[in-house]
Amino acid sequence: MQSRYITITDHPQGTPARELFELHETELAAPADGEVRVRNTWLSVDPYMRGRMSGVKTYIDPFELNEPLQGAAVGEVIESRDPNFPVGAKVRHMAGWRDIAQLPGNQLEPLPAFEVPDQAYLGVLGMPGMTAWTGLNRIAEMQEGDNVLVSGAAGAVGSLAVQLAKAKGGTVVGIAGSQEKLDWLESKGVKAVSYKGKNAAQLTEALNEACPEGFDVYYENVGGICLEAALNTLRVGARIAVCGMIARYNEDAPSAGPGNLAMILIRRARMEGFIVFDHWANYPAFLDEVGPQVANGQIDYEETIEEGLERTPDAFLKLFEGANHGKMLVKL
């Protein structure tokens, strides 16, 4: 059987050029004992993948040039040499960026049984959802009545973070760009603030207007002026959960950090970065809490979908244009 897959031909500098991505095809060997062949139906693209393209090991190994890229995917088992995964089983795994995946059964997990579309396990009930829940509950230790600020608030992670925070009863403010995203946030009872056309001082002013008493929790997805403005609006004892800094991912050289880091001292704040994979043992607890809310429509989620394996690089690059509302997915 043929498998088509995407590679990169060089390590990008700055924003990756579309020409770095190539589509290839290979003949798969027959599955060995313990192996499973999966027809992927949905692929995930995520901002963290940009770091893996740089050729430098961070908290995860870099992608290898001219080899299939990797990412979360869901699909259906079409051939199996592992009794735990019969033909027809729906599974999730990390052999994305390809249409047919073949991998050991111990690298697969069956999809949970909630009445949700399969692709929800790549978004609101997958790594992005788990990241939102972990940052708020395990890192920032969000409490009832906390005022919460979220940057990237209409993205895959931020869109769940604002809803979980809103359920705790305090003022929730979301930073986003497009009017469509701002309108969606407002529809969820979240005060929406645009960063477009603003410097850090202007964004600080807008955040102060939205929540004059300041923030107990800041959920950081972006960095840059969002972080600088957030530091200016903290309450004493605030907690900052750093999930990502997408504003920096395509920089050619390191940029200057916020000039107001002293606010962490002045406000006696705690700032902690986290990687969701380090907390994956808590995934069942996340599912128990959030799964039923998604299944019954209590939690809303948005998806931006590109169709076809060949569109996967385009879907990925759109993440850095702010073109996604909610989770960016590729449908095969």
Side-chain angles (χ1 to χ4, degrees):
M1 177 175 284
Q2 297 288 324
S3 173
R4 297 188 303 148
Y5 60 92
I6 306 284
T7 70
I8 53 171
T9 58
D10 200 358
H11 301 300
Q13 300 296 316
T15 302
R18 179 61 177 82
E19 293 73 26
L20 289 180
F21 298 88
E22 290 188 349
L23 180 63
H24 292 275
E25 191 172 281
T26 189
E27 182 74 27
L28 295 173
D33 284 344
E35 285 191 332
V36 179
R37 185 174 287 176
V38 179
R39 186 181 305 281
N40 289 335
T41 52
W42 292 90
L43 307 180
S44 174
V45 290
D46 302 279
Y48 82 90
M49 294 172 174
R50 174 60 185 85
R52 298 192 69 185
M53 295 177 184
S54 298
V56 178
K57 181 177 175 61
T58 54
Y59 61 88
I60 191 170
D61 290 332
F63 290 137
E64 295 186 27
L65 298 182
N66 304 306
E67 293 294 329
L69 298 178
Q70 300 169 346
V74 296
E76 182 175 334
V77 174
I78 57 174
E79 192 171 344
S80 179
R81 300 287 300 277
D82 184 331
N84 295 310
F85 296 98
V87 171
K90 301 285 189 69
V91 295
R92 179 173 57 189
H93 57 84
M94 290 300 293
W97 292 77
R98 69 200 83 187
D99 55 4
I100 305 294
Q102 188 164 304
L103 62 169
N106 61 12
Q107 295 180 22
L108 301 171
E109 55 181 324
L111 294 189
F114 293 103
E115 292 294 326
V116 299
D118 293 349
Q119 70 270 23
Y121 295 108
L122 295 177
V124 66
L125 293 180
M127 183 179 68
M130 175 66 177
T131 301
W133 182 87
T134 299
L136 289 175
N137 294 291
R138 302 289 177 173
I139 307 302
E141 298 176 336
M142 180 177 61
Q143 304 297 313
E144 294 283 344
D146 276 350
N147 295 339
V148 179
L149 173 64
V150 180
S151 60
V157 174
S159 58
L160 179 59
V162 293
Q163 294 181 78
L164 293 176
K166 188 66 182 173
K168 292 287 188 178
T171 298
V172 181
V173 177
I175 302 173
S178 71
Q179 190 60 50
E180 179 186 7
K181 293 179 179 181
L182 298 172
D183 290 345
W184 182 85
L185 289 167
E186 293 282 357
S187 76
K188 301 304 169 191
V190 175
K191 294 186 177 183
V193 172
S194 176
Y195 67 86
K196 289 289 184 71
K198 294 183 175 70
N199 58 29
Q202 293 166 329
L203 185 54
T204 297
E205 182 179 356
L207 294 178
N208 281 328
E209 289 177 2
C211 186
E213 60 270 32
F215 298 100
D216 303 286
V217 170
Y218 174 44
Y219 195 107
E220 172 66 294
N221 284 304
V222 177
I225 65 166
C226 292
L227 176 57
E228 187 169 345
L231 291 174
N232 287 330
T233 59
L234 300 179
R235 299 177 83 173
V236 171
R239 292 88 64 202
I240 304 170
V242 182
C243 160
M245 293 195 173
I246 195 171
R248 293 174 174 260
Y249 289 174
N250 288 316
E251 291 179 339
D252 292 315
S255 61
N260 61 341
L261 281 177
M263 293 304 297
I264 295 177
L265 172 62
I266 293 168
R267 297 290 187 249
R268 282 83 91 196
R270 172 168 60 81
M271 184 174 183
E272 181 178 348
F274 72 100
I275 303 300
V276 70
F277 301 122
D278 296 337
H279 301 268
W280 206 255
N282 295 313
Y283 183 66
F286 158 73
L287 272 185
D288 287 345
E289 178 181 333
V290 180
Q293 297 180 68
V294 174
N296 66 25
Q298 188 176 345
I299 286 179
D300 190 19
Y301 63 96
E302 300 289 321
E303 298 170 341
T304 302
I305 298 171
E306 294 283 337
E307 295 203 20
L309 178 65
E310 64 280 357
R311 294 289 299 170
T312 308
D314 304 280
F316 170 72
L317 293 174
K318 285 183 177 182
L319 293 172
F320 304 99
E321 303 169 3
N324 61 303
H325 189 181
K327 180 74 184 104
M328 178 66 86
L329 295 162
V330 179
K331 182 180 181 181
L332 301 186

